[in-house]
Amino acid sequence: MNSVFVICEIDEGKVADVSLELMTKGRSLANELNCKLEALILGHNLKGIEKELYPYGADVVHIGDDERLDPYTTLPHTSVIVNLFEKEKPQIALLGASTFGRDLGPRVSSALVSGLTADCTSLEIGPHEDKKAKKVYENLLYQIRPAFGGNIVATIINPDCRPQMATVREGVMKKEIYDANFKGKVNNIDVDKILKPEDLVVKVIERHMEKSKVNIKNSSIIVAGGYGVGSKENFAQLEELAHVLGGEVGASRAAVDAGYADHNRQIGQTGVTVRPKLYIACGISGQIQHTAGMEESSMIIAINNDPNAPINKIADYVITGDVGAVVPKLIKFYKQNTK
């Protein structure tokens, strides 16, 4: 069986978390398929970068180290990856659904005529029977993601074209070390032989980057509000509760679209994926596009005036009532009992 590849992204000189999460998932898929897991990383000053990838089960790390590959630009990265994939012929290729992956993934898949599924929430291996063509396919990659505004979960397959390509958002997959002592091998790519003058027509003159001031992903307590909170002013109560508990405020897409909260606080399929110890969902109905981003929280408390809200099905505790009345009581009693 041909290998599973993860196209890795560099973030401030280190392998990005989303790439390590995909290495964890890639190792699991490779074990199931009884094939190798290979990582591909392009950039400059990458000496020793393979040591970050070996513990996640990388059998081979392909490294393209060249100053023309840093900072990232579309054309040279695409050329190097397409050249390698045409030789190695991977059966699966995974990327993070970051700015990097969203730009690079479609370019590579288009060049290889392979197709790509974006923003997958799950990746599995399984068979498929094409009854019309009377064909049975084994060991296909099930690329699972919400579709039609999150009203259904679609399983997408690519029976005939390779590689089967998918992007996954940061936080969707768990990052776990496979074996701290695992050792693979390095393949150094001769970038000079691959790049052509036309690959280098775009140059980055200057870059301005600002880190997000909101750190929802790493917060152990999240108080999230939905459209049911009612207004931006009412969100101030959630901010107070989060402050009292030592947590962060999150929001559903509906709340962000209504202007109640900023987009960098959005949780779900079109926001960030979180796994806090405590998730308090206030006025959130629980549509699949939101629950996809928080359903693995250790404990979920739902506050909603609708006793039949979908969020209640995955909640550990449900408080049926008006958010505006319940949240101030939570703040009051928490303060009383922690003096």
Side-chain angles (χ1 to χ4, degrees), residues 81-96:
I81 293 168
V82 168
N83 181 278
L84 181 70
F85 279 11
E86 283 175 342
K87 289 178 188 169
E88 300 291 333
K89 303 195 183 312
Q91 58 174 315
I92 292 169
L94 308 175
L95 304 90

Side-chain angles (χ1 to χ4, degrees), residues 23 25 46 76 92 95-96 141 150 173 188 196 219 251 290 305 328 333 338:
M23 288 294 293
K25 186 62 187 180
L46 300 177
I92 292 169
L95 304 90
L141 179 67
M173 304 295 173
N188 288 304
K196 302 182 183 79
S219 180
H290 182 76
N305 56 15
F333 289 117
T338 52

